[in-house]
Amino acid sequence: MAEKDLRVNEQIRSREVRLIRDDGEQEILSVSQALEFAREAGLDLVEVAPQAVPPVVKILDYGKFRFENEKRLRDSKKKQKLLKLKEIRMQPKIDDHDLDFKSKHIKEFLIDGNKVKVTIRFRGRELAHTELGYDVMKDVLSRIEGEYVMDKPPAMEGRFMSMVLGPKGKK
């Protein structure tokens, strides 16, 4: 449940609430009694489980509680790794040296944890010989030696043949 949905102090609408104290002890009280305890402690009464019957409340510093939740959310976002899709383009009439060079780049992208889309563009009469594209794709796969997971096998899409490779160990 988002913090914005949490009710604090006078916003709590039910007659009775289950108050959880700092020591973990629970008791059912009226909202006015629970609010009185919170005021004596100089803290806020926060509804932490409104769907429960009766709703569960805690006495805590609401500002600090919100700050810690936002901090936890920021930290979890920092640890996320965004997967990028890199694209390598080539033609069916590619030279061995160029294929080595492009395969090396594909390997580096995969090691860095990125997905790679390998695309072969066919022009003019090359479109009649799509098997050459499949041969180039097989050659690329043999040169990167198992550093990949095949996300999408080679397939024709108009004038282009493409396949998508993902890093090994992650899918």
Side-chain angles (χ1 to χ4, degrees), residues 20-79:
I20 300 178
R21 297 184 179 272
D22 292 337
D23 56 6
E25 193 179 309
Q26 298 181 13
E27 60 182 311
I28 296 176
L29 304 168
S30 69
V31 175
S32 56
Q33 287 175 315
L35 270 169
E36 192 59 41
F37 282 129
R39 286 195 183 105
E40 285 173 15
L43 298 170
D44 300 305
L45 187 68
V46 181
E47 191 176 49
V48 290
Q51 68 280 0
V53 179
V56 179
V57 295
K58 276 186 171 182
I59 296 175
L60 43 87
D61 184 352
Y62 185 62
K64 185 176 178 183
F65 175 74
R66 276 188 46 202
F67 174 76
E68 286 173 356
N69 274 356
E70 287 170 9
K71 187 176 176 183
R72 201 174 310 122
L73 204 86
R74 277 193 308 271
D75 287 345
S76 70
K77 281 185 182 178
K78 279 182 191 173
K79 291 174 186 163

Side-chain angles (χ1 to χ4, degrees), residues 117-166:
K117 182 177 183 180
V118 182
T119 306
I120 297 179
R121 184 181 70 198
F122 294 93
R123 296 187 307 193
R125 293 186 191 156
E126 293 173 349
L127 212 49
H129 302 286
T130 55
E131 71 278 357
L132 295 175
Y134 283 109
D135 293 341
V136 171
M137 293 281 193
K138 285 179 192 167
D139 203 5
V140 166
L141 293 176
S142 68
R143 289 171 194 244
I144 59 176
E145 305 153 5
E147 295 280 334
Y148 64 91
V149 173
M150 178 86 62
D151 285 355
K152 181 179 161 270
M156 285 298 293
E157 299 164 1
R159 292 185 158 275
F160 298 92
M161 176 183 290
S162 64
M163 68 177 169
V164 179
L165 306 173

